[in-house]
Amino acid sequence: MATGYTASDQTATATRFAEGNDVAEHRDGVTVITTDSNSWLGRGKEGPRAKAEIIAVGPDGAVQYYNDSHTRYWDVDPVAGTEMTVEYVAADHLTPEQCGGETVCTRNVVERVNLSTGETERVFSRVTEGKHSTRWHDADRIDEDHVVVADIAKDRVFVVNTTTGLTTWAWSAQSEFETDESGGPYPEDWTHINDVEVLSDGRIMVSIRNHDQVVFLDRETGMLENQTLGSDGDHETLYEQHNPDYIPESEGGPAAIVADSENGRVVEYQRTDGEWERSWTWRDGRLQWPRDADRLPNGHTLVTDSNGNRVVEVDENGEVVWSMDVAFPYEAERLNTGDESSGGPSAQRAGLQSETADGDEAGATATDTAGVFGAVFGVIEGLLGSTVVNAVMYVLPVWAGGPEVAAVVVAVGALVAWAGVELYWSSWRPSVDHRITIEQRD
């Protein structure tokens, strides 16, 4: 059983990722990882998951770059024509005083950094009201002057000229969906648009998380309804997904690989005769709330397991061949393998084998005892539902994995049962003795 983290652990976490430190096994290529944070409203607290970071790990497993200056880090993409330069989306939570009013706000930024030199350039920035459902999670470059943004705050996708700061195109989800019949609560968190990807033919692929679907936009005609993957409430297909990647025909597509977050799995769908058909599924016994999956050129898949606190590389047989422990990762990118999954083959072309291990199977834990608690956790998740369990896991410290949560539940249950038995057999009995006087009113 884990024992938790002391007050010095947040400093220890930053020290762990100091430049030159070995933090992972050797692997070809540089792996860049961004992390989220479960620090409420961005206020610091102890524990590794209270800090957000962007980390670059070299082929030798040593840290090559580290930065934790923002409140949250989200999407990260390689910059075309470079070896060690990336663009990322980050957010800073601001106080009412910093916002110039009486309420909090968020500064969303797109920045470019050379991981070798540390030189950083602010590409674009905009302030949105509030915090939780206003933070941009993704932006994708169209050309040297234009970026497309997944705008959670306004339930839209827009293109901005980063030189002038002017919005040149926008699509609103309200043009296709009714606010009172779909998605999450409106206006608090209706669509939760969390990902955009510009395809080679100019279409824009958009993840509408709270509608359980991935849609395709044409900037001239709008949403292409006959190409949509999933539908609102169809949790057999997708359930509040993150970071879908498009695999083109040249690599065996059209296909889409998706972190199917609330279903606790990574899935791939192949486009066949105008329909999406599931062609691959992966999860091991430890996977808990995946939020990114990239197909690599060798047919392996790089998976970001947020509540599992790790990034793993899975081979064509579904076996984990590389893993790195990191608190609450959001996205991972292997440099010089193509942007996202654009350089990797579809599951169908690569002949990938699906893996759907249950929570109590091998790989979930290191001991038989933890395996039992893993099974208990599976029962708890089945009773409460994945959205409730993942919400609870979101605010817990890094040590509190599924088996640890189950162990706490079992311990509390045993304590309550013991107290009840003791009270039953005790000579002491609770009693109520309170006299009531009733008088007739005049």
mmCIF file of all heavy atoms in Angstrom, residues 198-203 246 248:
data_model
loop_
_atom_site.group_PDB
_atom_site.id
_atom_site.type_symbol
_atom_site.label_atom_id
_atom_site.label_comp_id
_atom_site.label_asym_id
_atom_site.label_seq_id
_atom_site.Cartn_x
_atom_site.Cartn_y
_atom_site.Cartn_z
ATOM 1 N N VAL A 198 -6.384 19.907 -38.158
ATOM 2 C CA VAL A 198 -6.499 20.308 -39.562
ATOM 3 C C VAL A 198 -6.025 19.156 -40.435
ATOM 4 O O VAL A 198 -4.881 18.695 -40.312
ATOM 5 C CB VAL A 198 -5.672 21.581 -39.838
ATOM 6 C CG1 VAL A 198 -5.808 21.982 -41.310
ATOM 7 C CG2 VAL A 198 -6.121 22.719 -38.928
ATOM 8 N N LEU A 199 -6.896 18.668 -41.315
ATOM 9 C CA LEU A 199 -6.551 17.554 -42.190
ATOM 10 C C LEU A 199 -5.945 18.060 -43.489
ATOM 11 O O LEU A 199 -6.068 19.236 -43.837
ATOM 12 C CB LEU A 199 -7.792 16.707 -42.470
ATOM 13 C CG LEU A 199 -8.552 16.220 -41.229
ATOM 14 C CD1 LEU A 199 -9.680 15.283 -41.643
ATOM 15 C CD2 LEU A 199 -7.624 15.552 -40.233
ATOM 16 N N SER A 200 -5.282 17.176 -44.224
ATOM 17 C CA SER A 200 -4.543 17.573 -45.421
ATOM 18 C C SER A 200 -5.448 18.134 -46.506
ATOM 19 O O SER A 200 -5.006 18.930 -47.341
ATOM 20 C CB SER A 200 -3.754 16.379 -45.968
ATOM 21 O OG SER A 200 -4.636 15.305 -46.297
ATOM 22 N N ASP A 201 -6.734 17.753 -46.507
ATOM 23 C CA ASP A 201 -7.657 18.258 -47.525
ATOM 24 C C ASP A 201 -8.394 19.522 -47.084
ATOM 25 O O ASP A 201 -9.302 19.992 -47.761
ATOM 26 C CB ASP A 201 -8.672 17.175 -47.914
ATOM 27 C CG ASP A 201 -9.522 16.701 -46.735
ATOM 28 O OD1 ASP A 201 -9.415 17.302 -45.641
ATOM 29 O OD2 ASP A 201 -10.288 15.723 -46.906
ATOM 30 N N GLY A 202 -8.005 20.071 -45.923
ATOM 31 C CA GLY A 202 -8.596 21.325 -45.452
ATOM 32 C C GLY A 202 -9.717 21.151 -44.451
ATOM 33 O O GLY A 202 -10.103 22.123 -43.782
ATOM 34 N N ARG A 203 -10.272 19.956 -44.322
ATOM 35 C CA ARG A 203 -11.299 19.731 -43.310
ATOM 36 C C ARG A 203 -10.698 19.909 -41.912
ATOM 37 O O ARG A 203 -9.499 19.763 -41.713
ATOM 38 C CB ARG A 203 -11.884 18.328 -43.436
ATOM 39 C CG ARG A 203 -12.803 18.090 -44.615
ATOM 40 C CD ARG A 203 -13.265 16.638 -44.651
ATOM 41 N NE ARG A 203 -12.131 15.715 -44.795
ATOM 42 C CZ ARG A 203 -12.163 14.424 -44.467
ATOM 43 N NH1 ARG A 203 -13.257 13.909 -43.925
ATOM 44 N NH2 ARG A 203 -11.097 13.659 -44.644
ATOM 45 N N TYR A 246 -6.571 11.583 -36.753
ATOM 46 C CA TYR A 246 -6.997 11.078 -38.056
ATOM 47 C C TYR A 246 -5.841 10.363 -38.731
ATOM 48 O O TYR A 246 -4.713 10.871 -38.767
ATOM 49 C CB TYR A 246 -7.471 12.241 -38.929
ATOM 50 C CG TYR A 246 -8.092 11.835 -40.240
ATOM 51 C CD1 TYR A 246 -9.410 11.398 -40.289
ATOM 52 C CD2 TYR A 246 -7.372 11.898 -41.423
ATOM 53 C CE1 TYR A 246 -10.005 11.039 -41.494
ATOM 54 C CE2 TYR A 246 -7.950 11.543 -42.639
ATOM 55 C CZ TYR A 246 -9.268 11.108 -42.660
ATOM 56 O OH TYR A 246 -9.854 10.755 -43.863
ATOM 57 N N PRO A 248 -4.741 9.000 -42.365
ATOM 58 C CA PRO A 248 -5.154 9.206 -43.760
ATOM 59 C C PRO A 248 -5.152 7.913 -44.571
ATOM 60 O O PRO A 248 -4.620 6.881 -44.143
ATOM 61 C CB PRO A 248 -4.117 10.197 -44.289
ATOM 62 C CG PRO A 248 -2.883 9.899 -43.472
ATOM 63 C CD PRO A 248 -3.382 9.535 -42.102
#
